[in-house]
Amino acid sequence: MSKNSIDSLFTQEVHNKYLVFNTLFSRLPYDKMTKIGQLMPFLHDLSESGFEQGKEPKEIIDIFFNQYTSIKEEKERIDLLFRFITYIERQVVLFDSIEDSAFEKLTPLNGKGTLQSTLDLAQQQNKLAEVKEKLKNFKVRIVFTAHPTQFYPNSVLRIIQDLEELIPKNDINGIDSLLQQLGKTPFINDQKPTPLEEAQSIIFYLRHVYYQVIGEIHEKLNSYFQDEEKGFDPVLELGFWPGGDRDGNPFVTAEISKKVSIELRSSILKCYYNDFKEVCRRLTFKGIMPLLTKISNRIHANMNGLKNDLTLDELLASLDEVRQLLITKHNGVFLDVLDKFIQQVRLFGLHFASLDIRQDSSIHENVMEQINQKYSISTKNYADWSNAEKLHFLTEHELQVNEDDFEDALTKDTFKTVKAIQEIQAMNGEKACHRYIISNSTSIFSVLEVLALFRFCGYKDSEVNVDVMPLFETIEGLDSAQATMSALYQLPFYKRHLSLRKNQQTIMLGFSDGTKDGGYVKANWEIYQAKEKLSRISKKNQVEVMFFDGRGGPPARGGGKTHQFYASQGPTIANNEIQITIQGQTITSMYGSRSQAMFNFEQLISAGIINDVFHDDRSIIDKKERNLIDELAEEGVRKYFELKEHPLFVSYLENKSPLKYYGLTNIGSRPSKRSSGKKLMLSDLRAIPFVGSWSQLKQNVPGYFGFGTALQKVIEEGRIEDLKSLYGSSLYFKTLMENSMMALTKTYFPLTYYMKNDPEYGDFWKILYQEYLLTVKNMLLVSGQKELMESEELGKLSINYREHIVLPLLTIQQYALQKIEETEDEKLRLAYEKMVTRSLFGNINASRNSA
């Protein structure tokens, strides 16, 4: 589609509708809100012109009040600014709904990267057999996390869904009613959600979106290949972190994990119960109905928790009995209806999504020390043991622990969690909870400590039906990953464990903390190289390796064009599965509706197929290109370390950004930093508030810093053509640059021009700004584009429109931050702090993948 066509379609389906429906805001049921819609354009225009002229937010707000209102009292000013925030929040919801409802028109569902286009291409090139073979041994696993970047409460999400149904129909009256409902619906949680509430929020999408979409995708595959057997094993599976991810979250306990697993079981049975009504409606035949009634009654009883006696094997056996009878006695009438239901049961089991357990390696080390002390294993502290002593203890020592012997709550719960895994598997099946992820893995002992916990909790080797997965996330961890896995693979004890797990090993790689630790270019390149090394060492040891990417949403956390990222990984990286995390906003913005979920799921499946079946020379990085990327990564990390080690780095974030207000938003159950210490340490700071704070400042440092300097060094050496060639021939480098361009497109330094004159932080701000200018200039030069995201017209239009809507909100946030610094009155100061917190919601929601 041409640039003009995209522009015209976006104007027709999004811009024009937004202008029309936006007029309905004048009728919102707010006190004193009637004039807000009239005043908003003035505040926007003053912000736009004022920032470009270098005016301070305070100056812009003062001009607005003096020119367009008669308000003089500060409390009245504050009141009006809060009403602006409320108004803009609702405008963002409206725009979200309009844009999402236009998804199918803006993004053809049979276009590039969809299953249809990929399968059609395979048919044209006589490669359908290869594709079919690939899909027999390939999976995509989408893992939903509880990371707190979803600022919309569930009540607002439901309104958005309803709006998306009415907008294509241009139902003015219906939309008007929903906007009025939106006007009265709070956007803020009174208190932080519990892990169980977080789980329930995401389960809503499992039930109402993914259950149907994943079934339809498998139907499409089965019909295309006309597999006469049982169809494909699940090509698309779901993972689940809420209630299982206890890394730094004191509110996730063994009891919570069990409650979430019960919730998942109940939810999938509700889906089955509703679906099974269609089977009962059609199969009204002699001998069949009593069997169907029996199945329905068992599903109903288990769904409501009246009984917990239904297993997956029993359910499938009962359905197969019906199937055989239908074929032999009733000529297979409506067999397709029954088979469709059986396929759903095979896809989702009784677990719906696999609950992953995650904990930091330091917690396991502490548990080992507690065991050491309690059972007098050694007079030395566990940390001081030699490697040989640790190896013997973790792989051979026989010990039966009792959690009641320990006083430390976290230690007790660690044992309870290990035991809970067996309970969850007994109730919902092995797939219900079969992965234990170890954050900040540093050595073989990070993995062996977890396996020792299972043995100490009474598991026999054959009963450990769990994949133990190291998570390498810092630059140091990535560097040592190959040595760690090589040592594990050669350890007889671990070989035995892997043999029980089909000689399959999943390794998780963390983009989020990797970027925070080493900067954008270095982190991405280190992860790419780590995958290559781990692929080689796994193949050498006859282990099938799968990589699990903690990608998050924005480019600064590994996100961006996800399908293009996977398509760019060449033959040197194992391509057995694509596993990624998605969180909060990304769930709703990329997988929140059936059409969006269908499109993005298919893009990932196609990326895996394309990588193996349709070889793209651009996915192969030759030696010369590697050397150049190495140079860029080293120069980029040098520049980033220079910034990170600046004495004002953490202080700038703490005092000039909304960082400290993230914890006040009540959007997630876990704290915004791992340590409870008063002094903020970068190592304790979680990636989400780190990236999100830079985003709120419209500086997006983690998504580009160091890239411009790295390019500049090569350019100054007279090798610009090498860079242009790399951009044109390497799909990996092109994706790396284009994802960074997205972060740069969302950057707007005029918002903080006033900081360049700050006596303490002015010079630091200039460092950031100069790198931004340099990066934009060099990326345009290397890519040959005249403006950022020139080749991504639709994405750029969306970003620009969203930035336009929230510009007044950004002004208000910066104004409030300035007022906090100068206000001595405690009540007024608290009001401005609340203003900063409230402004986070609309800004984050408008940016969609900014945290």
Side-chain angles (χ1 to χ4, degrees):
M1 197 182 296
S2 68
K3 182 179 183 297
N4 288 339
S5 299
I6 293 171
D7 215 342
S8 174
L9 191 58
F10 187 87
T11 299
Q12 179 183 331
E13 295 297 331
V14 180
H15 171 76
N16 291 345
K17 287 188 176 183
Y18 178 75
L19 290 181
V20 171
F21 298 142
N22 195 35
T23 60
L24 299 175
F25 275 93
S26 62
R27 297 189 62 245
L28 288 182
Y30 296 130
D31 296 332
K32 309 174 188 176
M33 195 58 95
T34 52
K35 291 185 179 179
I36 292 294
Q38 298 167 20
L39 290 172
M40 186 65 71
F42 296 117
L43 180 55
H44 179 276
D45 291 346
L46 281 174
S47 298
E48 193 170 56
S49 60
F51 286 132
E52 293 300 331
Q53 294 165 21
K55 285 186 170 66
E56 295 190 15
K58 279 196 307 180
E59 192 178 354
I60 292 168
I61 295 293
D62 286 342
I63 292 171
F64 168 77
F65 277 113
N66 292 334
Q67 286 189 8
Y68 298 105
T69 77
S70 57
I71 297 174
K72 302 298 180 186
E73 292 292 323
E74 190 165 9
K75 288 183 180 179
E76 288 185 55
R77 284 187 168 199
I78 290 171
D79 181 56
L80 181 61
L81 292 176
F82 270 111
R83 278 184 274 143
F84 272 128
I85 292 172
T86 303
Y87 190 86
I88 296 168
E89 284 173 343
R90 271 71 181 173
Q91 284 186 308
V92 172
V93 170
L94 177 61
F95 185 81
D96 279 347
S97 303
I98 292 170
E99 188 177 42
D100 290 347
S101 69
F103 183 83
E104 289 188 43
K105 291 183 179 178
L106 295 171
T107 312
L109 296 185
N110 60 350
K112 184 179 179 183
T114 61
L115 270 181
Q116 190 65 56
S117 69
T118 303
L119 295 174
D120 286 347
L121 181 63
Q123 197 164 38
Q124 291 167 18
Q125 297 187 11
N126 294 318
K127 290 189 173 183
L128 274 178
E130 289 180 57
V131 171
K132 183 177 180 180
E133 195 60 32
K134 172 66 183 174
L135 289 174
K136 284 182 178 178
N137 301 291
F138 176 76
K139 281 189 178 69
V140 169
R141 180 184 289 257
I142 302 292
V143 180
F144 303 100
T145 78
H147 295 343
T149 57
Q150 177 49 266
F151 279 66
Y152 292 139
N154 288 345
S155 54
V156 174
L157 291 172
R158 308 299 181 265
I159 296 172
I160 291 174
Q161 284 200 321
D162 293 340
L163 279 169
E164 287 175 14
E165 289 182 14
L166 296 183
I167 286 168
K169 302 172 186 175
N170 294 319
D171 184 346
I172 295 290
N173 291 329
I175 293 165
D176 185 40
S177 297
L178 288 174
L179 290 179
Q180 290 191 54
Q181 180 189 354
L182 194 67
K184 286 291 189 181
T185 302
F187 270 45
I188 302 172
N189 297 316
D190 292 330
Q191 53 192 15
K192 287 179 179 290
T194 66
L196 182 58
E197 288 168 338
E198 288 176 327
Q200 289 167 335
S201 177
I202 296 176
I203 287 172
F204 174 87
Y205 289 99
L206 267 63
R207 283 189 62 189
H208 298 286
V209 180
Y210 310 134
Y211 176 76
Q212 292 174 313
V213 168
I214 291 173
E216 287 173 18
I217 287 173
H218 284 85
E219 274 187 76
K220 190 181 296 187
L221 289 171
N222 289 333
S223 65
Y224 214 95
F225 292 105
Q226 297 179 337
D227 200 317
E228 294 181 2
E229 300 168 18
K230 63 176 182 178
F232 283 101
D233 284 335
V235 175
L236 188 55
E237 294 184 332
L238 302 178
F240 207 77
W241 276 17
D245 179 10
R246 58 245 307 128
D247 176 13
N249 191 338
F251 306 109
V252 176
T253 63
E255 199 56 39
I256 287 292
S257 296
K258 287 191 279 188
K259 285 182 179 178
V260 169
S261 67
I262 292 169
E263 195 77 21
L264 285 163
R265 175 187 172 93
S266 172
S267 296
I268 190 58
L269 287 172
K270 287 175 183 175
C271 290
Y272 292 159
Y273 186 72
N274 289 332
D275 249 15
F276 201 62
K277 290 176 183 177
E278 179 64 19
V279 177
C280 296
R281 187 189 299 266
R282 293 289 163 258
L283 305 188
T284 52
F285 312 140
K286 186 177 179 180
I288 297 278
M289 280 304 294
L291 296 177
L292 297 183
T293 301
K294 186 179 177 182
I295 293 170
S296 181
N297 288 341
R298 288 201 74 186
I299 291 174
H300 185 268
N302 279 261
M303 172 182 87
N304 292 312
L306 301 175
K307 290 184 178 180
N308 283 312
D309 62 350
L310 182 63
T311 68
L312 178 60
D313 287 343
E314 286 174 341
L315 180 56
L316 286 172
S318 298
L319 291 168
D320 188 58
E321 183 183 356
V322 174
R323 191 177 193 275
Q324 296 307 318
L325 192 60
L326 189 63
I327 293 170
T328 56
K329 301 291 186 182
H330 302 286
N331 301 317
V333 177
F334 291 125
L335 182 63
D336 59 329
V337 175
L338 180 62
D339 280 349
K340 182 180 178 182
F341 180 78
I342 292 173
Q343 175 188 259
Q344 294 296 88
V345 176
R346 285 202 177 109
L347 289 175
F348 298 106
L350 297 185
H351 64 282
F352 214 157
S354 298
L355 182 68
D356 288 351
I357 304 298
R358 183 171 80 126
Q359 183 57 282
D360 193 86
S361 61
S362 62
I363 302 300
H364 302 136
E365 290 173 20
N366 182 59
V367 170
M368 291 303 152
E369 175 56 31
Q370 297 288 322
I371 292 172
N372 178 37
Q373 292 179 16
K374 178 58 66 175
Y375 300 113
S376 303
I377 307 297
S378 170
T379 56
K380 293 189 296 184
N381 290 333
Y382 176 74
D384 298 326
W385 290 9
S386 68
N387 287 350
E389 288 172 323
K390 285 184 179 180
L391 188 61
H392 173 78
F393 176 69
L394 297 174
T395 61
E396 297 182 38
H397 194 93
E398 293 300 328
L399 180 70
Q400 190 75 28
V401 299
N402 182 349
E403 63 263 23
D404 293 329
D405 291 343
F406 298 84
E407 294 180 9
D408 180 64
L410 189 52
T411 300
K412 289 167 79 86
D413 191 71
T414 300
F415 297 134
K416 287 180 180 178
T417 298
V418 170
K419 293 176 180 179
I421 292 173
Q422 207 164 39
E423 294 178 46
I424 293 169
Q425 289 186 343
M427 182 173 64
N428 294 354
E430 182 181 318
K431 282 189 174 181
C433 188
H434 67 104
R435 290 152 48 106
Y436 197 119
I437 301 157
I438 310 153
S439 302
N440 286 307
S441 290
T442 54
S443 69
I444 62 169
F445 301 114
S446 299
V447 172
L448 296 179
E449 282 160 0
V450 171
L451 285 172
L453 284 173
F454 281 89
R455 190 169 74 258
F456 296 160
C457 286
Y459 284 71
K460 297 176 183 175
D461 288 349
S462 59
E463 295 173 339
V464 184
N465 299 317
V466 175
D467 299 313
V468 182
M469 297 162 44
L471 164 52
F472 302 109
E473 46 195 331
T474 62
I475 299 300
E476 182 183 358
L478 289 166
D479 282 343
S480 63
Q482 181 183 7
T484 297
M485 295 313 300
S486 179
L488 274 173
Y489 289 155
Q490 293 168 38
L491 198 63
F493 171 83
Y494 197 67
K495 278 185 178 180
R496 287 197 299 275
H497 171 70
L498 279 183
S499 69
L500 296 171
R501 304 306 297 162
K502 301 178 182 177
N503 283 318
Q504 295 177 333
Q505 174 70 56
T506 302
I507 300 171
M508 188 172 182
L509 302 161
F511 280 81
S512 302
D513 283 293
T515 305
K516 179 166 74 77
D517 185 44
Y520 179 73
V521 186
K522 179 71 170 177
N524 276 275
W525 185 230
E526 282 287 327
I527 288 170
Y528 187 94
Q529 291 179 299
K531 283 185 176 181
E532 290 185 312
K533 293 172 185 174
L534 292 167
S535 296
R536 285 197 298 270
I537 200 69
S538 298
K539 187 175 182 179
K540 181 181 176 182
N541 286 276
Q542 297 180 306
V543 174
E544 184 181 1
V545 68
M546 278 77 73
F547 295 115
F548 179 17
D549 293 318
R551 289 184 63 78
R557 297 187 61 234
K561 302 176 187 68
T562 307
H563 60 281
Q564 190 170 311
F565 166 83
Y566 284 106
S568 74
Q569 297 194 31
T572 55
I573 293 175
N575 182 36
N576 305 307
E577 289 191 15
I578 289 176
Q579 301 186 23
I580 58 170
T581 59
I582 61 171
Q583 89 292 321
Q585 279 179 304
T586 311
I587 295 172
T588 53
S589 65
M590 292 184 67
Y591 300 88
S593 67
R594 291 185 64 185
S595 57
Q596 289 171 311
M598 181 77 74
F599 179 81
N600 286 300
F601 284 150
E602 288 192 4
Q603 290 282 321
L604 289 171
I605 295 170
S606 292
I609 296 171
I610 289 166
N611 221 325
D612 275 7
V613 178
F614 306 100
H615 303 292
D616 188 338
D617 290 342
R618 294 181 305 157
S619 69
I620 300 170
I621 307 175
D622 65 29
K623 187 175 181 180
K624 182 182 177 183
E625 291 170 337
R626 284 177 178 277
N627 290 338
L628 184 49
I629 298 173
D630 267 333
E631 283 185 58
L632 293 170
E634 290 309 312
E635 183 61 20
V637 76
R638 183 198 65 76
K639 182 68 175 177
Y640 180 72
F641 276 1
E642 192 179 282
L643 180 75
K644 198 170 74 165
E645 290 162 9
H646 194 289
L648 294 179
F649 184 76
V650 175
S651 169
Y652 178 83
L653 266 183
E654 194 169 18
N655 296 311
K656 304 302 285 188
S657 85
L659 175 66
K660 65 182 75 169
Y661 302 99
Y662 263 78
L664 305 176
T665 54
N666 289 339
I667 56 166
S669 66
R670 73 180 190 176
S672 57
K673 63 189 184 86
R674 287 183 171 91
S675 168
S676 58
K678 289 185 178 179
K679 185 177 179 182
L680 180 64
M681 304 290 290
L682 183 61
S683 57
D684 291 332
L685 187 59
R686 291 192 178 279
I688 287 172
F690 175 75
V691 172
S693 297
W694 289 115
S695 171
Q696 293 281 322
L697 286 170
K698 290 296 163 188
Q699 293 175 356
N700 289 325
V701 162
Y704 71 86
F705 199 89
F707 212 157
T709 293
L711 294 172
Q712 184 65 23
K713 180 176 182 290
V714 178
I715 291 168
E716 286 177 353
E717 292 172 355
R719 294 188 287 153
I720 180 65
E721 293 305 318
D722 289 347
L723 290 171
K724 289 181 177 180
S725 174
L726 180 64
Y727 179 78
S729 62
S730 169
L731 191 55
Y732 168 79
F733 185 71
K734 187 175 190 287
T735 303
L736 192 69
M737 261 187 57
E738 289 184 351
N739 281 344
S740 189
M741 284 182 182
M742 186 191 296
L744 289 164
T745 302
K746 294 181 178 182
T747 301
Y748 184 65
F749 267 91
L751 177 70
T752 54
Y753 271 165
Y754 72 94
M755 290 186 189
K756 66 183 175 185
N757 299 318
D758 187 284
E760 184 175 2
Y761 296 103
D763 288 342
F764 185 83
W765 182 92
K766 289 171 186 172
I767 292 171
L768 307 178
Y769 183 48
Q770 290 303 319
E771 184 66 15
Y772 161 75
L773 292 176
L774 187 65
T775 307
V776 172
K777 179 182 73 117
N778 287 339
M779 283 196 177
L780 293 179
L781 186 63
V782 170
S783 67
Q785 298 182 28
K786 294 178 182 176
E787 54 185 24
L788 294 172
M789 292 185 71
E790 187 179 286
S791 59
E792 291 289 324
E793 184 63 20
L794 188 58
K796 186 173 182 179
L797 285 168
S798 177
I799 289 171
N800 288 344
Y801 216 105
R802 291 171 177 279
E803 299 297 312
H804 173 86
I805 292 171
V806 296
L807 184 58
L809 191 57
L810 292 165
T811 308
I812 292 169
Q813 184 184 83
Q814 288 297 317
Y815 169 78
L817 286 168
Q818 284 189 292
K819 295 294 284 186
I820 289 167
E821 288 185 3
E822 65 179 38
T823 301
E824 295 182 4
D825 184 296
E826 189 62 27
K827 285 187 178 179
L828 289 175
R829 185 183 173 87
L830 286 172
Y832 285 119
E833 288 181 346
K834 184 179 178 183
M835 192 178 292
V836 173
T837 305
R838 278 297 307 279
S839 63
L840 288 169
F841 291 71
N843 287 333
I844 285 285
N845 288 331
S847 294
R848 287 215 150 173
N849 68 345
S850 61

